[in-house]
Amino acid sequence: MRAARLIKMVLLLQSRPSMTAAELARELEVSERTVTRDAQALSEAGVPVYAERGRAGGYRLVGGYRTRLTGLARGEAEALFLSGVPGALREMGLEDAASAARLKVSAALLPSLSDASRAAAQRFHLDAPSWFTDPKTPELLPAVADAVWDDRRVVARYRRGDSDVERELEPYGLVLKAGVWYLCARVADHDSFRVYRIDRFTAVDPAPSDERFTRREDFDLPAFWEDRAEQFARSILRAEVVVRVSPEGARRLPYAVDPTAVREALELSAAPDDDGDGWVTLTLPVESEEVAHGQLAGLGPEVEVLAPPSLRARFVRDAARLGALYGT
């Protein structure tokens, strides 16, 4: 385990100008005393680790020292090749760059790992779009991707309702969700981060200043997206319905409506009803009565709508029509 830790320490120091003992200890999950011993061990092994004392001190590698990739294990090499998403790279215009990078990494691997790229590609494939959809790549995606990679401000025009809106944006990151591309960007005028669907952009041009922006160190793209996605999911649940569901209905309910809403409703529900069949009564947040009708109809006789009365009346009419179609 120590050998792996020493390699990780070298790689950390390669990726940054310098790191304090406290920073290294946190990354390596060891004590600062262990960091000191590991640095001495690396120095004795010929790795030029230099320690600077003082308030601005820390550990650094001297003379632009770089290690090679020949220390990769098979699992690590396969994971490296697996990390690419070919379709997404192609849509962003990065397929050639990714291919060149894979060739360079392959050339640096030990002969025993030369088949790692093929082994990963033959075992795992990511198909991002949902079923029964034919997603189209936004025409302006390559231009947006270039700005994201280069940290350059852009002026974007996009459709909002029946009008076009223009904003100067600092493009921080791209997200591919169920075949749809989104841009997470900071709006300079409002000092706020927002999410835009790229297929709604009508134009993307360099900002008049054509200068790079400085990224905020505290911005975390995965955490930001998770938070905004949860906010969006909750924002559209503006109505409520009261239902009784069977045990089978409770199992299938998360596949019909928002699973987080179902989980919270089940946690808040009382004990099963007194009929002894295991049915429970739930209050569910839904997008609208119309949407709830379509979602709950798929559960058939495993759900009974109690409120609102207008939604229950819809299911009464549905049941009457089904009875007329199939007989009693």
Side-chain angles (χ1 to χ4, degrees):
M1 294 297 293
R2 190 191 185 197
R5 189 175 71 242
L6 291 174
I7 292 173
K8 184 176 181 180
M9 184 174 179
V10 174
L11 294 175
L12 284 169
L13 292 174
Q14 276 187 193
S15 64
R16 307 178 195 182
S18 69
M19 294 183 70
T20 66
E23 290 172 336
L24 284 168
R26 184 167 57 252
E27 291 283 353
L28 299 172
E29 299 181 350
V30 296
S31 67
E32 293 185 30
R33 182 172 296 181
T34 299
V35 168
T36 301
R37 288 197 297 264
D38 285 351
Q40 183 177 355
L42 287 171
S43 180
E44 292 173 354
V47 178
V49 178
Y50 175 70
E52 288 185 333
R53 298 184 179 276
R55 187 174 181 180
Y59 291 93
R60 69 180 66 213
L61 293 175
V62 180
Y65 175 86
R66 308 291 295 178
T67 187
R68 296 183 178 180
L69 291 174
T70 51
L72 283 176
R74 170 169 293 276
E76 295 169 334
E78 291 176 348
L80 175 63
F81 287 106
L82 178 62
S83 64
V85 185
L89 292 171
R90 182 173 58 252
E91 292 176 6
M92 288 188 291
L94 298 173
E95 186 176 27
D96 290 342
S99 177
R102 286 193 294 268
L103 286 173
K104 290 178 180 179
V105 174
S106 295
L109 292 175
L110 293 171
S112 60
L113 302 179
S114 60
D115 66 336
S117 61
R118 186 175 184 278
Q122 293 301 317
R123 286 166 173 80
F124 299 98
H125 175 67
L126 176 62
D127 186 8
S130 301
W131 285 105
F132 314 117
T133 60
D134 185 19
K136 295 182 180 178
T137 303
E139 181 179 347
L140 296 173
L141 176 60
V144 176
D146 283 345
V148 170
W149 288 114
D150 208 25
D151 292 341
R152 288 196 177 275
R153 292 187 178 90
V154 297
V155 175
R157 290 193 297 276
Y158 62 95
R159 297 186 301 275
R160 189 171 69 183
D162 297 329
S163 61
D164 277 5
V165 178
E166 185 174 284
R167 290 279 187 272
E168 182 171 325
L169 304 175
E170 294 178 354
Y172 268 67
L174 294 168
V175 175
L176 177 60
K177 170 72 171 178
V180 180
W181 284 95
Y182 296 88
L183 172 67
C184 302
R186 177 178 173 271
V187 184
D189 294 342
H190 298 80
D191 192 24
S192 61
F193 287 90
R194 299 182 184 179
V195 177
Y196 299 88
R197 278 187 59 148
I198 296 179
D199 58 5
R200 293 179 182 168
F201 284 169
T202 57
V204 175
D205 300 305
S209 59
D210 193 28
E211 62 181 13
R212 289 183 171 87
F213 63 90
T214 301
R215 285 176 170 265
R216 292 188 177 180
E217 294 294 332
D218 59 348
F219 181 80
D220 184 328
L221 179 60
F224 171 79
W225 176 259
E226 182 178 0
D227 179 64
R228 289 304 171 92
E230 183 177 351
Q231 288 182 26
F232 172 76
R234 291 183 177 275
S235 70
I236 63 175
L237 303 179
R238 301 187 180 94
E240 283 187 346
V241 299
V242 181
V243 297
R244 290 179 69 242
V245 293
S246 68
E248 174 63 15
R251 186 187 69 80
R252 291 163 51 186
L253 194 58
Y255 300 98
V257 300
D258 182 73
T260 302
V262 173
R263 185 178 66 251
E264 293 177 353
L266 287 170
E267 291 173 352
L268 293 173
S269 66
D273 298 346
D274 295 333
D275 55 18
D277 292 333
W279 286 60
V280 293
T281 300
L282 306 175
T283 300
L284 283 175
V286 294
E287 185 174 346
S288 66
E289 181 176 316
E290 185 72 28
V291 171
H293 177 248
Q295 292 173 330
L296 297 175
L299 298 179
E302 307 300 332
V303 61
E304 177 189 3
V305 175
L306 302 179
S310 55
L311 181 57
R312 183 178 175 87
R314 285 175 179 247
F315 280 91
V316 170
R317 291 193 295 270
D318 290 348
R321 293 179 62 191
L322 286 171
L325 285 173
Y326 292 102
T328 58

